[in-house]
């Protein structure tokens, strides 16, 4: 199954691990109810909701089908431990079974792959490759190594199984074996390569004996090459890639004929690396840890793509100069303005360093999607490349005769290309590409025959993601929010085009996997108070079967407040801002009341949905606040995921500005529609939510009675390159964007109570961010600001004591500033 949260974005959100034991039963499925059956329960308290989440119950993780499609495997976190146990449940329903180590050693592993004739299947179990004969059920262990093998694939004729370990590829002939290395890649110069030498040439011309020796040497080499070419059992000759390069990625054609190798400079300067200090250690001494460079300190290393012909042992560099727009400068206006300012200030050397390259450097876009994908028969390969400035994404194929890239699709954006939604691949004919693209304004699915015109398979003001092609190649299954931005389900669409048809009705669809025969879907789904559970449904939407319920009884018995999804009108031209509202059942309360606005993290993350939230603790905290007379609003402000390209890129070069407009519109809605006292509205959030809390207090002083900023970015020049440069460009090139977007630049406006909380070993948003802002407040003689530091926490807190202390302080801040504030 797919993991829907991109790693880069997930680390900007608070996404703590969930833990519990497994108690199989009929799972709660009514997402429309958005809550559980009422039962008497004690009032919520901080100790309970911030306790180790073992008491809740674990989400079902990493579900996959058995090779024969009769069982579904999945993982559950063990109670009181980070260990994940492997479980198995019959796909037709039955009692789930936890596999002990002996049983796990014999289980099917990973998602199986099949040869074209469906005679054999291959899968990865515990880092080794296994091969199964589907007629007899006999299973052969192909590898037994300490390396972690992965990515098995059959050749079109089913005779060859290829797989990889790190950047090395191997092939296994089903009829005879053994496992052989497909290519020997060396990050070195060829030790036998002869460099041009005038003196050596002169010696050859003078001495017949030397000429004879060279002729003999060349004959021996030619004979060895001929013998090696005729004997597939010999180890491959090395490809000498050069001592100045390192291998970033590789991809082997299914037939073992071609290999693509992505390289970059070995000595690429990553810039100065920031350190953090561990104060509480086993040794008793303070210890330092290297983390990352700051944005703009050095760009990511440009990458080069090489094509290796393993049959003729020849290598070719694939030039990116043919990619459309590769020579353009999308930042020309900003560049010209900044360079002119530097020259005016007499900083000519810095101005010269900002000159635009003649050909923009690129990387193979393999971090958030497959970077290189072969057709089933191995006759075609598609590569996705991304400009380092992230304004362009190309999909290109390779002309093997000309050893050249052929551009098939260009996606360009004046802001930045989305990190998510870059999936692509081939239809079963091996001559038609499919891909996701935001070119219409929303992520949609397209097909394009080589040399032909693209065709949109889906269209509309909704997002399509994570396409899965049926085994027979006739149909795609996708996850989409077609019904409403907050409601996700599986839909099907013909690969040749046609209606997009809804299959499931969970509304909180988290993940799915297609059965080996293409007849059923294993679905992970959840609800606001139900962690992800496993169900199986036929591909026509019939015969849904719930297979798990992992919630603990004490948690399931509670009467939780169902979040109400509401539409907040924008007064700033943004249309509708979707939000979750937590309030009492008695909506007609007459007295004015306090309110809290929660701001989710990551920026590009969706928290207004019908699934179990990453912020499950915060959701319980919101229940506690309502219990005490508050109302809470949780908004998908601009830049949030799920609402299309324009919503995502509204923050380009001005982070914290449109989002603040949306939060202020949320406050106005609370005052006008929910009887909220405008003088008693608090705000809090973590990571990007912490950043926005700071922007709210510093750019709109007096609007919020108090704010709690958890692990906030305070100065974007100290955050990482990959995330920040896409939104604000390079700080040397576009300093205006960083000045406008960094809370530290507005520190002199602090007037309202502010609590800052940060983990000291946070290696994502470094604690120095908060400490630098704290020092700024000191120098400005500000009052009513506090900071709490957590010596053993990183970005996402994991210790219950820290969670309790963190939220106890937030609760006290709101009590003092919202409940006890004179009206």
């Amino acid at each position: 199954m797919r993991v829907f949260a991109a790693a880069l974005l997930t680390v900007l959100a608070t996404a703590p691990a969930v833990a519990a034991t497994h108690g199989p039963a009929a799972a709660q499925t009514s997402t429309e109810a958005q809550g559980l059956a009422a039962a008497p329960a004690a009032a919520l308290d901080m100790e309970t909701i911030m306790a180790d989440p073992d008491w809740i119950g674990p989400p079902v993780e990493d579900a996959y089908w058995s090779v024969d499609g009769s069982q579904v495997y999945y993982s559950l976190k063990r109670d009181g431990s980070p260990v994940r146990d492997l479980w198995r449940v019959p796909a037709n329903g039955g009692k789930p079974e936890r596999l002990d180590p002996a049983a796990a050693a014999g289980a099917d592993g990973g998602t199986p792959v099949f040869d074209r004739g469906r005679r054999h299947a291959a899968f990865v179990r515990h880092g080794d490759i296994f091969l199964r004969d589907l007629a007899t059920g006999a299973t052969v262990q192909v590898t037994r190594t300490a390396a972690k093998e992965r990515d098995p694939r059959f050749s079109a004729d089913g005779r060859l199984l290829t797989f990889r370990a790190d950047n090395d590829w191997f092939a296994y002939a089903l009829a005879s074996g053994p496992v052989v290395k497909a290519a020997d890649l060396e990050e070195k110069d060829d030790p036998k390569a002869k460099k041009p030498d005038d003196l050596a040439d002169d010696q050859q011309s003078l001495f017949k004996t030397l000429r004879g020796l060279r002729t003999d040497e060349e004959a021996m080499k030619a004979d060895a090459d001929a013998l090696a070419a005729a004997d597939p059992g010999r180890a491959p000759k090395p490809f000498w890639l050069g001592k100045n390069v390192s291998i970033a990625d590789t991809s082997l054609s299914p037939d073992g004929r071609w290999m693509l190798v992505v390289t970059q400079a070995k000595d690429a300067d990553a810039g100065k690396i920031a350190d953090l200090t561990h104060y509480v250690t086993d040794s008793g001494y303070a210890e330092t840890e290297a983390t990352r460079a700051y944005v703009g300190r050095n760009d990511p290393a440009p990458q080069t793509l090489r094509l290796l012909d393993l049959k003729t042992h020849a290598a070719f560099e694939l030039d990116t100069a043919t990619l459309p727009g590769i020579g353009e400068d999308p930042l020309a206006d900003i560049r010209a303005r900044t360079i002119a300012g530097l020259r005016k200030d007499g900083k000519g050397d810095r101005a010269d360093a900002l000159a635009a390259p003649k050909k923009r450097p690129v990387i193979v876009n393999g971090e958030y999607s497959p970077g290189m994908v072969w057709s089933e028969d191995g006759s075609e390969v598609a590569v996705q490349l991304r400009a380092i400035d992230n304004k362009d994404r190309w999909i290109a194929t390779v002309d093997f005769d000309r050893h050249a890239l052929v551009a098939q699709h260009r996606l360009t954006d004046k802001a930045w290309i989305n990190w998510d939604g870059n999936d692509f691949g081939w239809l079963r004919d091996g001559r038609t590409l499919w891909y996701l693209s935001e070119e219409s304004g929303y992520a949609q699915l397209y097909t394009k025959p080589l040399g032909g015109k693209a065709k949109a398979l889906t269209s509309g003001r909704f997002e399509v993601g994570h396409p899965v092609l049926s085994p027979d190649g006739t149909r795609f299954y996708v996850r989409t929010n077609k019904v409403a931005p907050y409601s996700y389900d599986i839909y099907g669409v013909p690969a040749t085009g046609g209606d997009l048809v809804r299959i499931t009705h969970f509304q909180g669809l988290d993940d799915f996997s297609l059965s080996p025969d293409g007849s059923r879907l294993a679905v992970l789904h959840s609800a606001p108070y139900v962690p992800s559970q496993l169900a199986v449904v036929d591909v026509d939407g019939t015969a849904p079967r719930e297979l798990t319920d992992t919630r603990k009884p004490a948690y399931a018995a509670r009467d939780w407040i169902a979040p109400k999804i509401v539409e907040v009108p924008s007064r700033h031209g943004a249309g509708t801002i979707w939000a979750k509202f937590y309030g009492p059942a008695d909506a007609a309360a007459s007295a004015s009341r306090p309110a809290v606005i929660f701001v989710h993290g990551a920026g590009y993350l969706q928290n207004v949905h019908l699934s179990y939230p990453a912020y499950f603790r915060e959701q319980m905290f919101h229940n506690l606040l309502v219990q005490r007379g508050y109302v809470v609003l949780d908004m998908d402000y601009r830049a949030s995921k799920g609402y299309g390209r324009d919503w995502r890129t509204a923050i380009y070069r001005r982070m914290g500005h449109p989002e603040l407009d949306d939060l202020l519109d949320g406050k106005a809605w609370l005052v006008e529609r929910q009887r909220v006292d405008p003088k008693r509205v608090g705000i809090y959030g973590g990571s990007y939510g912490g950043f926005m809390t700071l922007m709210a207090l510093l750019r709109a002083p007096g609007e919020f009675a108090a704010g709690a900023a958890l692990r906030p970015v305070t100065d974007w020049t100290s955050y990482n390159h990959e995330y920040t440069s896409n939104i604000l460009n390079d700080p040397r090139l576009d300093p205006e964007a960083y000045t406008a977007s960094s809370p530290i630049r507005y520190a002199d406006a602090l007037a309202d109570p502010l609590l800052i909380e940060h983990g000291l070993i946070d290696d994502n948003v470094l604690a120095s961010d908060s400490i630098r802002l704290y020092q700024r407040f000191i120098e400005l003689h500000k009052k009513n600001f506090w900071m709490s530091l957590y010596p053993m926490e990183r970005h996402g807190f994991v210790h219950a004591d820290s969670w309790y202390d963190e939220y106890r302080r937030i609760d006290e801040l709101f009590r003092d500033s919202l409940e006890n504030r004179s009206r």
Side-chain angles (χ1 to χ4, degrees):
M1 288 197 177
R2 299 287 304 267
V3 176
F4 289 117
L8 174 68
L9 305 177
T10 301
V11 296
L12 267 178
T14 303
V18 183
T21 55
H22 189 201
Q28 164 72 23
T29 62
S30 176
T31 55
E32 303 205 4
Q34 301 185 46
L36 305 177
L44 283 173
D45 61 86
M46 195 69 72
E47 289 277 5
T48 299
I49 64 179
M50 295 300 159
D52 188 298
D54 279 357
W55 76 282
I56 295 173
V60 175
E61 301 174 337
D62 303 324
Y64 64 91
W65 289 90
S66 63
V67 171
D68 64 6
S70 66
Q71 308 271 341
V72 183
Y73 292 91
Y74 58 93
S75 297
L76 286 179
K77 181 185 176 300
R78 186 183 299 175
D79 229 12
S81 168
V83 172
R84 262 66 177 175
D85 290 314
L86 185 64
W87 290 70
R88 179 171 58 200
V89 62
N92 290 330
K95 184 178 180 180
E97 170 192 13
R98 183 174 69 86
L99 305 185
D100 61 23
D108 293 353
T111 299
V113 297
F114 299 84
D115 62 13
R116 182 179 287 184
R118 293 270 162 164
R119 296 182 299 272
H120 295 91
F123 55 85
V124 180
R125 182 200 296 160
H126 313 308
D128 284 310
I129 303 294
F130 289 78
L131 176 70
R132 181 168 297 167
D133 186 312
L134 297 180
T136 66
T139 302
V140 174
Q141 184 169 356
V142 177
T143 67
R144 185 176 294 167
T145 70
K148 296 295 184 182
E149 284 92 13
R150 59 189 176 95
D151 298 341
R153 186 166 186 180
F154 290 97
S155 61
D157 59 13
R159 297 180 180 180
L160 193 69
L161 175 66
T162 60
F163 56 90
R164 72 187 297 180
D166 294 325
N167 286 319
D168 290 324
W169 283 85
F170 300 87
Y172 174 76
L174 273 63
S176 59
V179 172
V180 297
K181 197 172 185 179
D184 183 9
L185 308 179
E186 296 286 349
E187 297 174 349
K188 302 174 183 177
D189 290 336
D190 184 350
K192 295 182 179 180
K194 296 186 184 299
K195 299 179 180 179
D197 189 316
D198 293 341
L199 181 59
D201 291 343
D202 190 44
Q203 302 309 296
Q204 286 289 311
S205 66
L206 285 173
F207 301 105
K208 180 177 69 173
T209 303
L210 288 178
R211 291 196 297 274
L213 290 172
R214 174 174 289 187
T215 299
D216 292 344
E217 181 182 348
E218 291 173 348
M220 292 292 290
K221 182 178 181 300
D223 181 62
D225 289 345
L227 290 172
D231 184 358
R234 294 199 180 193
K237 293 190 302 180
F239 281 93
W240 303 98
L241 303 178
K243 65 179 181 180
N244 296 321
V245 304
S246 61
I247 301 170
D249 199 5
T250 56
S251 186
L252 179 70
S253 64
D255 60 5
R257 166 67 190 277
W258 301 95
M259 179 178 282
L260 290 175
V261 180
V262 183
T263 62
Q264 60 193 40
K266 185 176 292 185
D267 59 353
D269 184 4
K272 180 178 173 58
I273 303 298
D275 291 333
L276 57 80
T277 302
H278 293 249
Y279 291 98
V280 182
T281 65
D282 287 334
S283 70
Y285 292 91
E287 300 172 2
T288 60
E289 174 189 350
T291 57
R292 55 166 172 77
Y294 292 170
V295 59
R297 297 305 97 189
N298 270 301
D299 289 347
Q303 293 180 341
T304 299
L305 191 62
R306 306 187 194 201
L307 174 67
L308 307 185
D309 186 336
L310 304 188
K311 182 177 181 180
T312 65
H313 199 267
F316 312 92
E317 184 169 328
L318 300 177
D319 191 358
T320 59
T322 58
L323 297 176
I326 193 71
E328 299 171 3
D329 181 12
L331 295 166
D333 292 343
I334 295 172
R335 190 184 306 276
R337 185 166 63 249
T338 303
I339 288 176
L342 289 171
R343 295 202 186 282
K344 182 179 179 181
D345 294 339
K347 300 175 181 177
D349 55 338
R350 289 170 59 181
D352 292 342
L354 296 179
K358 293 182 179 179
K359 183 177 73 173
R360 283 188 287 160
V362 302
I363 61 174
V364 174
N365 196 31
E367 187 169 0
Y368 307 112
S369 65
M372 300 167 280
V373 181
W374 294 88
S375 62
E376 192 175 64
D377 63 5
S379 64
E380 300 286 351
V381 66
V383 183
Q384 190 175 105
L385 301 118
R386 179 164 59 95
I388 283 180
D389 60 35
N390 208 24
K391 310 294 185 187
D392 280 280
R393 182 207 78 184
W394 298 272
I395 298 174
T397 52
V398 175
D399 184 323
F400 295 107
D401 294 328
R402 296 191 301 113
H403 315 122
L405 290 174
V406 180
Q408 299 292 340
H409 180 255
R410 177 192 182 190
L411 179 64
T412 187
D413 198 307
K414 293 180 180 179
W416 75 95
I417 298 297
N418 199 348
W419 300 284
D420 202 7
N422 293 302
D423 305 57
F424 71 107
W426 296 92
L427 295 187
R428 294 287 183 254
D429 64 7
R431 302 297 179 271
T432 305
L433 285 164
W434 65 261
Y435 57 88
L436 292 176
S437 174
E438 267 190 334
E439 61 199 72
S440 70
Y442 291 82
Q444 301 293 338
L445 179 62
Y446 297 80
T447 58
K448 181 185 183 297
L450 297 183
K453 186 177 180 181
K455 176 180 181 179
L457 297 188
T458 63
S459 62
R461 295 175 62 83
F462 55 87
E463 300 275 81
V464 169
H466 316 291
V468 174
L469 188 62
S470 62
D472 62 8
T474 63
R475 194 167 186 80
F476 280 102
Y477 299 95
V478 298
R479 177 180 183 263
T480 177
N481 57 354
K482 185 176 186 295
V483 169
Y486 51 81
S487 177
Y488 286 87
D489 268 297
I490 303 171
Y491 286 65
V493 62
T496 54
D499 292 336
L500 185 63
V501 177
R502 188 173 184 177
I503 296 173
T504 65
H505 292 79
F506 293 107
Q507 300 185 80
L509 193 287
D510 301 328
D511 201 352
F512 71 94
S513 177
L514 191 60
S515 65
D517 65 359
S519 66
R520 293 181 290 180
L521 295 157
V523 174
L524 294 183
H525 66 96
S526 62
Y529 295 98
V530 182
S532 200
Q533 303 298 327
L534 176 64
V536 167
V537 60
D538 291 354
V539 293
D540 62 1
T542 62
R545 292 172 291 284
E546 295 294 340
L547 301 180
T548 65
D549 184 348
T550 62
R551 294 170 299 164
K552 294 289 188 64
Y555 172 81
R558 282 194 171 270
D559 185 16
W560 298 103
I561 297 170
K564 181 181 179 181
I565 294 181
V566 298
E567 299 181 58
V568 175
S570 169
R571 301 181 181 186
H572 300 86
T576 294
I577 311 158
W578 291 94
K580 287 193 290 192
F581 174 74
Y582 297 81
D586 180 11
S590 57
S592 66
R593 51 196 175 187
V596 167
I597 294 179
F598 170 68
V599 192
H600 71 68
Y604 191 60
L605 177 145
Q606 187 171 14
N607 204 44
V608 179
H609 52 64
L610 295 175
S611 292
Y612 190 70
Y615 301 98
F616 64 92
R617 284 188 181 91
E618 288 80 351
Q619 181 172 250
M620 291 188 290
F621 180 55
H622 300 160
N623 276 253
L624 186 148
L625 290 175
V626 173
Q627 178 179 288
R628 291 218 314 269
Y630 291 68
V631 295
V632 180
L633 192 66
D634 175 356
M635 307 181 72
D636 270 350
Y637 52 83
R638 271 174 286 180
S640 296
K641 186 176 183 178
Y643 304 93
R645 180 193 60 208
D646 293 345
W647 195 263
R648 173 177 66 81
T649 62
I651 63 170
Y652 178 57
R653 301 190 68 235
R654 55 191 192 121
M655 295 167 79
H657 292 252
E659 310 99 296
L660 179 55
D661 289 342
D662 297 341
L663 297 177
L664 291 174
D665 287 337
K667 178 190 172 184
W669 182 87
L670 286 169
V671 171
E672 295 170 7
R673 300 284 298 276
Q674 300 299 328
R675 299 179 182 273
V676 164
D677 183 346
K679 295 182 179 180
R680 294 196 295 154
V681 180
I683 187 169
Y684 87 102
S687 194
Y688 201 98
F691 155 70
M692 280 309 308
T693 297
L694 293 176
M695 291 296 268
L697 266 61
L698 301 179
R699 291 194 57 247
E703 287 286 351
F704 296 95
L710 291 57
R711 42 206 170 272
V713 175
T714 70
D715 185 348
W716 285 107
T717 63
S718 63
Y719 196 55
N720 69 34
H721 186 95
E722 181 70 9
Y723 181 90
T724 318
S725 65
N726 293 327
I727 305 173
L728 300 180
N729 302 315
D730 188 291
R732 295 166 297 180
L733 181 65
D734 196 357
E736 294 175 0
Y738 285 80
T739 298
S741 302
S742 295
I744 199 168
R745 302 291 180 171
Y746 304 95
D748 60 345
L750 180 67
D752 307 300
L754 169 64
L755 171 64
I756 302 172
E757 299 182 302
H758 214 127
L760 272 178
I761 56 172
D762 188 338
D763 53 359
N764 177 17
V765 179
L766 307 183
S768 57
D769 246 60
S770 288
I771 293 169
R772 290 177 67 244
L773 180 62
Y774 197 81
Q775 176 63 24
R776 184 81 178 115
F777 289 149
I778 291 171
E779 295 178 0
L780 290 167
H781 296 186
K782 293 298 178 179
K783 300 177 181 179
N784 295 328
F785 65 96
W786 306 270
M787 181 163 62
S788 180
L789 299 174
Y790 297 86
M792 300 191 71
E793 299 295 350
R794 294 196 183 271
H795 197 60
F797 284 23
V798 296
H799 300 103
D801 292 337
S802 298
W803 275 102
Y804 172 80
D805 186 83
E806 182 180 38
Y807 274 78
R808 174 187 62 80
R809 295 172 188 272
I810 297 170
D811 189 43
E812 290 172 356
L813 173 72
F814 289 155
R815 284 178 182 267
D816 291 342
S817 301
L818 277 61
E819 294 180 33
N820 301 330
R821 182 166 180 163
S822 59
R823 303 181 189 181

